[in-house]
Amino acid sequence: MDFLARTTSPIAPALWEQIDAATVNVARNVLTGRRILHLNGPLGIGVASVQIDDADTRAENLEDGFIVNKGRRTVEIPTIYEDFTLLARDLAVSEASGYPTDLSAVLGAAQAAALKEDRLIFFGNANLGIDGLLTAPNANQVPKSDWSVGENAFTDVAAAIDALVNQGVFGAYTLVLSPNLHTQLQRLQPGTGLLEIDRVAKLVGGQLYKSPVLGKDQAVLLCAQPENMDLVVGQDLAAAYLEQRELNHHFRLIESVLPRIRKQKAIAVFR
């Protein structure tokens, strides 16, 4: 089955290739969650749900001849979508003149879809029963001081790493910041000749990122190894053909993704 309805659409294969390339380029530049989480998939659009095990409570209970899994739940993989339209006249002009097709509508939709994915990863969705990296209820809560002053950022991040170590969480650590915190760290520390952001980055082995979905004054440290968390991908981000209406061509960008947190104590949220 052609789930994306491409073979039955009036869109030429060459234009589909341009749409795909534009979508991938925008997503690669915008997405942060995929840079830090291990990807499980794409599994295909037909995979509707997955199991999430709680690493701290996962166990098999044997009772009265039955084996029951504790600390496991089944969660549906939600589908993210964003629609866009390409005008029939624009496509006709492009074809007749040989000029490149204006794909600004594709670029805008791809950016919006990518931001929706990152919001799901970092903040989850309470209505869908999905925990995000900053909203996992059992994550470590670490006090945050003013990172625009002195060595506060370095001290706070070091304390967060200690908090994870004390929880028995070892491995590579990743730090994700709001854009304004990232900017605050772009300053020289007196007597060191180093930018504060470079000092902080060394604490996490260079794994320091920023994401616009974090808003202002938010930061999270995590040990994003696959035994602790990953990102399940069913359908990867792709464009589907919806219909031709009022002569114009209507498309839908879709993807199905789910942040799967197995060990919430592998996360430290700065508050």
Side-chain angles (χ1 to χ4, degrees), residues 35-238:
R35 299 183 188 182
I36 63 178
L37 296 180
H38 173 78
L39 295 186
N40 187 331
L43 305 176
I45 192 64
V47 179
S49 61
V50 293
Q51 296 172 337
I52 300 180
D53 290 343
D54 185 329
D56 295 321
T57 62
R58 170 79 174 88
E60 280 190 340
N61 283 4
L62 283 70
E63 186 175 346
D64 296 331
F66 295 95
I67 300 177
V68 179
N69 289 309
K70 299 295 184 180
R72 168 176 288 179
R73 60 193 181 103
T74 299
V75 180
E76 183 177 352
I77 306 174
T79 299
I80 294 170
Y81 76 93
E82 190 70 29
D83 293 346
F84 66 92
T85 300
L86 296 181
L87 301 182
R89 187 176 183 183
D90 288 349
L91 298 186
V93 170
S94 177
E95 182 178 358
S97 66
Y99 293 152
T101 303
D102 180 3
L103 297 179
S104 56
V106 181
L107 302 178
Q111 176 173 293
L115 292 174
K116 286 180 181 179
E117 178 184 313
D118 267 358
R119 289 190 191 98
L120 182 68
I121 291 172
F122 287 102
F123 296 103
N125 187 300
N127 292 333
L128 300 177
I130 298 172
D131 295 323
L133 298 177
L134 277 80
T135 59
N138 295 320
N140 299 280
Q141 305 295 312
V142 179
K144 176 187 167 297
S145 51
D146 184 356
W147 285 13
S148 65
V149 176
E151 299 183 335
N152 287 344
F154 185 91
T155 302
D156 287 354
V157 173
I161 292 174
D162 286 343
L164 295 190
V165 170
N166 291 336
Q167 293 287 342
V169 178
F170 308 106
Y173 302 107
T174 300
L175 180 65
V176 187
L177 308 176
S178 297
N180 74 307
L181 291 182
H182 191 272
T183 301
Q184 287 177 12
L185 300 185
Q186 308 291 333
R187 67 180 192 280
L188 282 171
Q189 275 295 344
T192 68
L194 296 174
L195 291 173
E196 180 69 356
I197 196 167
D198 292 334
R199 299 182 66 223
V200 172
K202 287 182 179 180
L203 284 175
V204 292
Q207 296 299 303
L208 189 155
Y209 301 89
K210 63 178 177 178
S211 173
V213 304
L214 265 61
K216 293 188 65 176
D217 298 323
Q218 297 197 78
V220 59
L221 178 80
L222 53 145
C223 182
Q225 296 180 177
E227 64 268 25
N228 298 327
M229 61 197 73
D230 64 8
L231 181 67
V232 178
V233 180
Q235 169 67 50
D236 212 348
L237 187 62

Side-chain angles (χ1 to χ4, degrees), residues 10-21 86 91 94 101 103 251:
I11 304 302
L15 181 55
W16 279 119
E17 291 178 3
Q18 294 176 47
I19 292 172
D20 289 341
L86 296 181
L91 298 186
S94 177
T101 303
L103 297 179
F251 301 79

